[in-house]
Amino acid sequence: MHDLFRRSPHAVCFVACLFLTAMFAQAQRGASIRFDDASRTFRIDGGDVSYALGINNRNELQPIYWGARLGASDGFPQPHEVHEVASFDLTTTVTPQEFPGWGSVFYVEPALKITFPDGNRDLVLQYASHHIDGNTLTVRLKDIERDVFVDLRYEMDAATGVLGRSATIENQTKEPLVVERAAAATWTLPHGTDYTLDYLTGRWGGEFQLQQEKIVPGARVLESRRGSTGHQNNPWFAVERAHTGEQDAGEVWFGALAWSGSWRITAEMDQRQTIRITGGYNPFDFDYKLNPGEKLNTPVFYGGYSPDGIGGASRILERFELTRILPQRPKPKPRPVLYNSWEATEFRVDEAGQTALAEKAAAIGVERFVMDDGWFGQRKDDHAGLGDWYVNQQKFPHGLKPLIDRVHALGMDFGLWVEPEMVNPDSDLYRKHPDWVLNFTGRPRTEGRNQLVLNLARPDVRDYVFGFLDKLVTENQIAFLKWDYNRNWSEPGWPAVAPDEQKQVYVKYIQNLYGILRELRSKHPGLEIESCSGGGGRVDLGIMGLTDEFWTSDNTDPFDRLTIQDGFSYAYTPGVMMAWVTDSPNFMNRRVTSLEYRFLSSMQGSFGVGANLNNWQDADFATAKRLISEYKQIRETVQHGSLYRLISPRNGSEYSATQSVSPDRSQAAVFAFLHSSQFGYDYPRIYLRGLDPKAQYKVRWISEKPAAKLPETASGEYWMNVGIDLELKGDFQAAALRLDRVQ
Ligand code: DGJ
């Protein structure tokens, strides 16, 4: 470049013109899908991403490219099959396919496996036709001999470059067939040995723990066999190339499966060092009979690419969730500040007690009052009542109306806890319909938390659940439902249907769950819903499309929460991450922390209070009132802005810090935490990110005392390059500040 500049002024002009053209092209960037007849290749563009696939000389659909957006005129040669390596690795084994059927000579994870009634299990899919409609490409595949069709759907998001992939399998033969495995997609990355896989593991009270490991030959399986998403693995992955630990640099590919039932994502490196990531229905205990003319749709597997590290990948996915997945897309309303009664009263709810809490909550600026478990049936503890969704007369002699009216008079809206998919054996519903639960005839029914799982795949159960929820919301002024789900499946039988259809429960249960949520929302358009499953046991992009927020974890210890929230933010926007301030010492670890520390930990997400306000002193109310007012001034930035993970709390870090920047870069909110000072060391300097370098930003402390000596106003360049030295010392200390662009 320097040589070019020296050589001639024309060259300078040429470079400048190229630059301007590139800038113009950048501004013009939307989505496009093109098919090139000559090379038989498809090119899909969106955001800063290009994705290409083609039809090879064997008529198989083959992946070509997934990564940074290419020049507008760039094309690809027709893909060709990979030559055999040896007689053990024939060409059909080693040639990557977009959606491989299990057949011919194939050993890695197939996307589709079918057994036909004559015992044939060979499925070889080839290109049949395609259709382009705006941002959507559908490629039709067909078995080489039988009338089994697969429609692969690709939908590109113009803004983020996130590609949604799914498949529809159709039986056009004259006999039923059995689908034994059905993935939504296989993603392929170029061969290489410098990839790191990121994924999320956990358990109840300890969700969203980030794992990072080098991808080596073989397969890493992420899955749930539990009937729902699960706390143990979350259906998200990222692959970093040449991982250095730097958050905001390097190439990253990522994906998230939109499914709330049993699922599986397999990340494997094959013998040629090609990386394939296949995800969809969990094949464990799975089959799905398709009669002639029937179809099976897979969930959508979303995938994206970022050149800006894992931090950039999260920001792309989070923007996509806000603008394309959440029910209030493309611009969700800010989440209201919420109060929840669970940790204060547990099952001991009644009209007087809830009213007293509501009055105190309103006084500190709460906008939504949510009554949790305990208000219905014969519910005194977790032994009885689930399934009987009538208001408990002893606790609420006049129904819910007096409480709801009082909540409204206090200026808040009202939310209610439900657990629609469960039943206690000690309930009128179970006594009347013992056949409504998942079970195998004549076998034990294992209880968890004294409850059984209703089989939502049954049409009568589906109608019952929709019916009582619809009635509840119609008869009461309920703005919000906290939809809980407190155990996983056991004995997942469905005796009411033929034995060869029983395993369809894995698909039909979730389809009915989604159907109920969809119908409820369309009949009650203002209704908002939280997805909760004993904390973060059902967090995924499938249910996110039908709910407004997630209960992140039952673990409300503000220090543990830093790690849980950090992990959550890799895959999900803080705008849906509910975080409550509760009492100290916290029930989980008996850890004692200040009220301000607890507030600052929770203010990094969608904020709520779950403490027993009856035990608070005047000073606590004053702190809460002040910090809730501060939160309201930054909540759009926290909930809808871009998150930068400045210092990770993982791996026993003494420190952690996050920064959120509003989409227009006019505001930033910074939160910093210290676990325990050691050896007198100072807090590491924090360098801010994502600000407008030329703009001036004014500081305002959110935490009570300034925790650093800072200029009142400085440029974005200053905050990003000079940074901030916080004066935090001691145990469980925290500080927060905000920067506002000066006009
Ligand atoms: C589990 C939830 O995660 C809690 O917040 C609470 O709602 C309880 N269930 C109530 O049973």
Side-chain angles (χ1 to χ4, degrees), residues 204 340 342 347 372-373 379 417 419 449 482 484 486 532-535 551 553-554 580:
W204 174 85
N340 178 289
W342 174 245
F347 302 96
D372 210 281
D373 199 348
R379 190 82 162 160
W417 180 94
E419 193 175 2
R449 209 194 191 205
K482 173 177 173 179
D484 208 345
N486 278 304
C532 169
S533 172
W551 180 223
S553 177
D554 277 347
W580 309 337

Short mmCIF file of all heavy atoms in Angstrom, two decimals, residues 204 340 342 347 372-373 379 417 419 449 482 484 486 532-535 551 553-554 580, ligand 1:
data_model
loop_
_atom_site.label_atom_id
_atom_site.label_comp_id
_atom_site.label_asym_id
_atom_site.label_seq_id
_atom_site.Cartn_x
_atom_site.Cartn_y
_atom_site.Cartn_z
N TRP A 204 -28.95 -27.39 38.47
CA TRP A 204 -29.85 -26.49 39.18
C TRP A 204 -29.00 -25.60 40.11
O TRP A 204 -28.12 -26.08 40.82
CB TRP A 204 -30.88 -27.27 40.01
CG TRP A 204 -31.71 -26.33 40.84
CD1 TRP A 204 -32.82 -25.65 40.44
CD2 TRP A 204 -31.45 -25.91 42.19
NE1 TRP A 204 -33.26 -24.83 41.45
CE2 TRP A 204 -32.44 -24.97 42.54
CE3 TRP A 204 -30.47 -26.23 43.13
CZ2 TRP A 204 -32.49 -24.36 43.80
CZ3 TRP A 204 -30.51 -25.62 44.38
CH2 TRP A 204 -31.52 -24.69 44.70
N ASN A 340 -40.97 -10.04 43.15
CA ASN A 340 -41.48 -11.41 43.21
C ASN A 340 -41.49 -11.89 44.65
O ASN A 340 -40.53 -11.69 45.39
CB ASN A 340 -40.61 -12.33 42.34
CG ASN A 340 -41.08 -13.77 42.41
OD1 ASN A 340 -40.93 -14.45 43.42
ND2 ASN A 340 -41.67 -14.24 41.32
N TRP A 342 -41.48 -14.97 45.99
CA TRP A 342 -41.09 -16.33 46.33
C TRP A 342 -40.14 -16.42 47.53
O TRP A 342 -40.41 -17.12 48.50
CB TRP A 342 -40.47 -17.03 45.11
CG TRP A 342 -39.92 -18.38 45.44
CD1 TRP A 342 -38.63 -18.77 45.39
CD2 TRP A 342 -40.67 -19.53 45.89
NE1 TRP A 342 -38.50 -20.09 45.77
CE2 TRP A 342 -39.74 -20.58 46.08
CE3 TRP A 342 -42.01 -19.77 46.15
CZ2 TRP A 342 -40.11 -21.84 46.53
CZ3 TRP A 342 -42.39 -21.03 46.59
CH2 TRP A 342 -41.45 -22.05 46.78
N PHE A 347 -44.55 -20.60 50.03
CA PHE A 347 -45.96 -20.95 49.73
C PHE A 347 -46.97 -20.18 50.60
O PHE A 347 -48.16 -20.30 50.41
CB PHE A 347 -46.17 -22.45 49.96
CG PHE A 347 -45.27 -23.31 49.12
CD1 PHE A 347 -44.07 -23.81 49.62
CD2 PHE A 347 -45.61 -23.63 47.81
CE1 PHE A 347 -43.23 -24.60 48.84
CE2 PHE A 347 -44.78 -24.43 47.02
CZ PHE A 347 -43.59 -24.91 47.55
N ASP A 372 -45.93 -15.35 43.52
CA ASP A 372 -45.36 -16.63 43.10
C ASP A 372 -46.23 -17.78 43.59
O ASP A 372 -47.42 -17.62 43.89
CB ASP A 372 -43.89 -16.73 43.60
CG ASP A 372 -43.01 -17.57 42.71
OD1 ASP A 372 -43.09 -18.81 42.81
OD2 ASP A 372 -42.24 -17.01 41.90
N ASP A 373 -45.65 -18.94 43.72
CA ASP A 373 -46.30 -20.20 44.06
C ASP A 373 -47.15 -20.09 45.34
O ASP A 373 -46.78 -19.36 46.26
CB ASP A 373 -45.18 -21.24 44.26
CG ASP A 373 -45.66 -22.65 44.18
OD1 ASP A 373 -46.88 -22.89 44.18
OD2 ASP A 373 -44.80 -23.55 44.11
N ARG A 379 -52.79 -25.84 48.00
CA ARG A 379 -51.34 -25.68 47.98
C ARG A 379 -50.85 -25.08 49.30
O ARG A 379 -51.03 -23.88 49.55
CB ARG A 379 -50.95 -24.76 46.82
CG ARG A 379 -49.47 -24.68 46.53
CD ARG A 379 -49.00 -25.80 45.70
NE ARG A 379 -47.72 -25.57 45.06
CZ ARG A 379 -46.97 -26.55 44.60
NH1 ARG A 379 -47.37 -27.81 44.72
NH2 ARG A 379 -45.82 -26.27 44.02
N TRP A 417 -47.72 -16.56 39.19
CA TRP A 417 -46.96 -17.79 38.94
C TRP A 417 -47.90 -18.93 38.55
O TRP A 417 -48.96 -19.12 39.15
CB TRP A 417 -46.23 -18.17 40.22
CG TRP A 417 -45.38 -19.41 40.17
CD1 TRP A 417 -44.05 -19.47 39.90
CD2 TRP A 417 -45.79 -20.76 40.44
NE1 TRP A 417 -43.60 -20.78 39.98
CE2 TRP A 417 -44.65 -21.58 40.30
CE3 TRP A 417 -47.00 -21.36 40.78
CZ2 TRP A 417 -44.69 -22.97 40.50
CZ3 TRP A 417 -47.04 -22.73 40.95
CH2 TRP A 417 -45.89 -23.53 40.81
N GLU A 419 -47.63 -23.24 36.95
CA GLU A 419 -46.78 -24.36 36.49
C GLU A 419 -47.69 -25.32 35.72
O GLU A 419 -48.05 -26.39 36.19
CB GLU A 419 -46.10 -25.05 37.67
CG GLU A 419 -45.00 -25.98 37.20
CD GLU A 419 -44.19 -26.61 38.33
OE1 GLU A 419 -44.48 -26.36 39.51
OE2 GLU A 419 -43.26 -27.38 38.01
N ARG A 449 -40.13 -33.63 43.16
CA ARG A 449 -40.80 -32.56 43.91
C ARG A 449 -42.28 -32.91 44.11
O ARG A 449 -43.17 -32.07 44.00
CB ARG A 449 -40.68 -31.22 43.18
CG ARG A 449 -40.69 -30.02 44.12
CD ARG A 449 -40.90 -28.72 43.38
NE ARG A 449 -40.65 -27.58 44.25
CZ ARG A 449 -41.18 -26.38 44.08
NH1 ARG A 449 -41.99 -26.15 43.06
NH2 ARG A 449 -40.91 -25.39 44.89
N LYS A 482 -45.56 -15.98 35.21
CA LYS A 482 -44.27 -16.67 35.38
C LYS A 482 -44.57 -18.14 35.18
O LYS A 482 -45.24 -18.76 36.01
CB LYS A 482 -43.70 -16.39 36.77
CG LYS A 482 -42.45 -17.19 37.07
CD LYS A 482 -41.88 -16.82 38.43
CE LYS A 482 -40.74 -17.75 38.81
NZ LYS A 482 -40.16 -17.41 40.11
N ASP A 484 -43.60 -21.74 35.16
CA ASP A 484 -42.55 -22.56 35.78
C ASP A 484 -42.65 -24.02 35.31
O ASP A 484 -43.68 -24.44 34.74
CB ASP A 484 -42.71 -22.47 37.31
CG ASP A 484 -41.40 -22.67 38.05
OD1 ASP A 484 -40.42 -23.15 37.45
OD2 ASP A 484 -41.35 -22.36 39.26
N ASN A 486 -40.87 -27.57 36.98
CA ASN A 486 -39.92 -27.90 38.04
C ASN A 486 -39.40 -29.32 38.11
O ASN A 486 -38.94 -29.76 39.16
CB ASN A 486 -40.53 -27.52 39.39
CG ASN A 486 -40.32 -26.03 39.66
OD1 ASN A 486 -39.19 -25.56 39.64
ND2 ASN A 486 -41.40 -25.31 39.86
N CYS A 532 -39.49 -20.14 33.02
CA CYS A 532 -38.71 -20.52 34.20
C CYS A 532 -38.77 -22.03 34.29
O CYS A 532 -39.80 -22.63 34.03
CB CYS A 532 -39.36 -19.88 35.43
SG CYS A 532 -38.72 -20.49 37.00
N SER A 533 -37.66 -22.64 34.63
CA SER A 533 -37.70 -24.07 34.91
C SER A 533 -36.74 -24.30 36.07
O SER A 533 -35.55 -24.54 35.86
CB SER A 533 -37.28 -24.86 33.67
OG SER A 533 -37.14 -26.23 34.00
N GLY A 534 -37.26 -24.07 37.29
CA GLY A 534 -36.38 -24.14 38.46
C GLY A 534 -35.15 -23.29 38.22
O GLY A 534 -34.03 -23.72 38.43
N GLY A 535 -35.36 -22.06 37.74
CA GLY A 535 -34.26 -21.20 37.28
C GLY A 535 -34.12 -21.35 35.77
O GLY A 535 -35.11 -21.39 35.04
N TRP A 551 -36.20 -16.67 33.82
CA TRP A 551 -35.67 -16.68 35.18
C TRP A 551 -34.33 -17.41 35.09
O TRP A 551 -34.27 -18.60 34.78
CB TRP A 551 -36.64 -17.35 36.14
CG TRP A 551 -36.14 -17.39 37.56
CD1 TRP A 551 -36.21 -18.45 38.41
CD2 TRP A 551 -35.52 -16.33 38.31
NE1 TRP A 551 -35.66 -18.13 39.63
CE2 TRP A 551 -35.22 -16.82 39.59
CE3 TRP A 551 -35.16 -15.00 38.02
CZ2 TRP A 551 -34.59 -16.05 40.57
CZ3 TRP A 551 -34.53 -14.23 39.00
CH2 TRP A 551 -34.26 -14.76 40.26
N SER A 553 -31.74 -18.17 37.17
CA SER A 553 -31.31 -19.22 38.10
C SER A 553 -32.02 -19.03 39.42
O SER A 553 -32.26 -17.89 39.84
CB SER A 553 -29.79 -19.12 38.34
OG SER A 553 -29.39 -20.09 39.28
N ASP A 554 -32.31 -20.14 40.12
CA ASP A 554 -32.82 -20.01 41.49
C ASP A 554 -31.73 -19.54 42.43
O ASP A 554 -31.99 -19.15 43.57
CB ASP A 554 -33.36 -21.36 41.98
CG ASP A 554 -34.78 -21.60 41.49
OD1 ASP A 554 -35.41 -20.65 40.99
OD2 ASP A 554 -35.27 -22.74 41.61
N TRP A 580 -32.76 -10.85 40.46
CA TRP A 580 -33.40 -10.19 41.61
C TRP A 580 -32.38 -9.93 42.72
O TRP A 580 -31.49 -10.73 42.96
CB TRP A 580 -34.45 -11.07 42.27
CG TRP A 580 -35.51 -11.68 41.44
CD1 TRP A 580 -35.98 -11.30 40.23
CD2 TRP A 580 -36.26 -12.85 41.81
NE1 TRP A 580 -36.98 -12.14 39.83
CE2 TRP A 580 -37.17 -13.09 40.77
CE3 TRP A 580 -36.27 -13.70 42.94
CZ2 TRP A 580 -38.07 -14.16 40.82
CZ3 TRP A 580 -37.16 -14.75 42.97
CH2 TRP A 580 -38.05 -14.97 41.92
C1 DGJ B 1 -38.90 -22.62 41.04
C2 DGJ B 1 -38.67 -21.22 40.59
O1 DGJ B 1 -37.44 -21.13 39.92
C3 DGJ B 1 -38.73 -20.30 41.80
O2 DGJ B 1 -38.42 -18.99 41.44
C4 DGJ B 1 -40.11 -20.38 42.38
O3 DGJ B 1 -41.05 -19.89 41.46
C5 DGJ B 1 -40.44 -21.81 42.74
N1 DGJ B 1 -40.21 -22.71 41.65
C6 DGJ B 1 -41.87 -21.94 43.19
O4 DGJ B 1 -42.26 -23.22 43.41
#
